[in-house]
Amino acid sequence: MMGLLFLCVSAALLNYVSASTDVCTNSLLPGAKGDQGEIGEEGDQGKLGKNGPPGLPGVPGETGIEGEAGHTGKMGRIGDKGDNGDTGLEGPTGLKGKPGTTCDCGRYRKVVGQLDVNVGKLRNAVKFVKNVIMGLKETEGGYYLLVKEPKRFREASMNCKLRGGNLAMPKTSNTNRLMADYISQAGLTRAYIGVQAQSKDTDGTSSYVYADSSPLQGFASWSQEGELNSTISLSTNSSCVELLSTGTWGHVECEATMFFICEFPKSRRRGEGRGTSASS
């Protein structure tokens, strides 16, 4: 009986709960707001956050005081030429100058004429000293001096070089004739000239060169015997050349002592002066 009553009561309660609009939960309802507590101690500084977006530009500040002048910079390039300026105003007229002196042209002409006469006399005097006193012979190319000091060929060549020249080199028929007459007028029959055989070629023959090492080209005045010997093998002692008063060339031993002729180019007048001052 009691069990049946318990079931009925339970069913009634279940129906009541199902029909009720309120929901039963285990949550507690909050109470009233309490009083404000005391301020706690300041906590540790937190980590820096990310940079925020840049703010808007501020208002420009006031203009500062002008600073000191800086160092001078490098010079820039030259600019283009500017246009010509306007012509300035005409200046005032200058003062009148003093009157000039009258030109005595006749007197100056007389002085110039006398100078020309003196220059002509001086040239004649120099020519007299060269040709008569010093015994020089002159051509368009240079001067020639017959040295009356008997020497071997090598010594004669060195003597001419010390005077400022070379042993004479007759490279033309006119020069050869002048030198031959020079020897004849001095009462001589022969003299050394600047022609000598150089070392033998591979075929055993010798070639001749002038004192300035230039080869014989275009002119030679060999005698018949000299012409024959000029193309065959020569002994060392007979490899030098003499000029006869007749104008022909001949072979001679280099160790023979005889007079010689020196040559001084006109382009080296200082050398000519040294040579003539040392002449006998």
Side-chain angles (χ1 to χ4, degrees), residues 23-255:
V23 179
C24 181
T25 64
N26 293 330
S27 298
L28 297 178
L29 296 176
K33 184 177 180 180
D35 297 333
Q36 184 176 357
E38 297 180 357
I39 298 174
E41 297 180 357
E42 184 177 358
D44 297 334
Q45 184 175 0
K47 297 181 180 180
L48 293 177
K50 296 182 180 180
N51 292 333
L56 298 176
V59 180
E62 297 180 357
T63 303
I65 302 173
E66 184 177 358
E68 299 179 354
H71 298 291
T72 303
K74 295 182 179 180
M75 181 178 295
R77 68 178 186 86
I78 299 175
D80 298 332
K81 184 177 180 181
D83 298 333
N84 294 331
D86 298 332
T87 304
L89 300 176
E90 185 176 356
T93 305
L95 300 176
K96 186 178 181 180
K98 296 180 180 180
T101 58
T102 303
C103 176
D104 188 1
C105 298
R107 184 178 63 178
Y108 289 114
R109 290 194 186 99
K110 184 177 180 180
V111 172
V112 173
Q114 186 62 41
L115 289 175
D116 290 339
V117 173
N118 293 340
V119 170
K121 290 181 179 180
L122 181 60
R123 288 175 179 172
N124 292 334
V126 172
K127 186 175 182 180
F128 176 80
V129 171
K130 290 179 179 178
N131 298 338
V132 178
I133 298 179
M134 296 182 178
L136 290 177
K137 298 295 181 181
E138 183 177 1
T139 64
E140 295 181 357
Y143 301 95
Y144 299 89
L145 174 66
L146 176 60
V147 182
K148 297 180 181 179
E149 298 177 7
K151 294 184 180 295
R152 299 181 180 89
F153 183 87
R154 184 181 295 274
E155 295 171 347
S157 177
M158 183 61 65
N159 188 278
C160 290
K161 290 181 180 179
L162 291 176
R163 295 171 185 265
N166 287 305
L167 274 175
M169 296 172 285
K171 296 185 177 182
T172 64
S173 58
N174 292 336
T175 304
N176 192 76
R177 185 69 263 170
L178 179 142
M179 294 169 58
D181 292 342
Y182 197 1
I183 295 173
S184 178
Q185 292 169 6
L188 304 175
T189 58
R190 61 178 185 170
Y192 272 132
I193 58 175
V195 180
Q196 186 183 22
Q198 61 181 186
S199 59
K200 295 181 180 181
D201 298 332
T202 55
D203 58 357
T205 61
S206 299
S207 58
Y208 284 81
V209 295
Y210 287 109
D212 59 1
S213 300
S214 61
L216 300 183
Q217 292 181 350
F219 175 78
S221 185
W222 296 108
S223 61
Q224 292 182 355
E225 181 181 358
E227 181 70 25
L228 178 63
N229 292 334
S230 64
T231 57
I232 63 175
S233 177
L234 299 174
S235 63
T236 305
N237 293 334
S238 300
S239 60
C240 295
V241 179
E242 62 180 358
L243 172 63
L244 304 179
S245 58
T246 58
T248 57
W249 298 358
H251 299 289
V252 65
E253 293 184 1
C254 297
E255 296 300 316

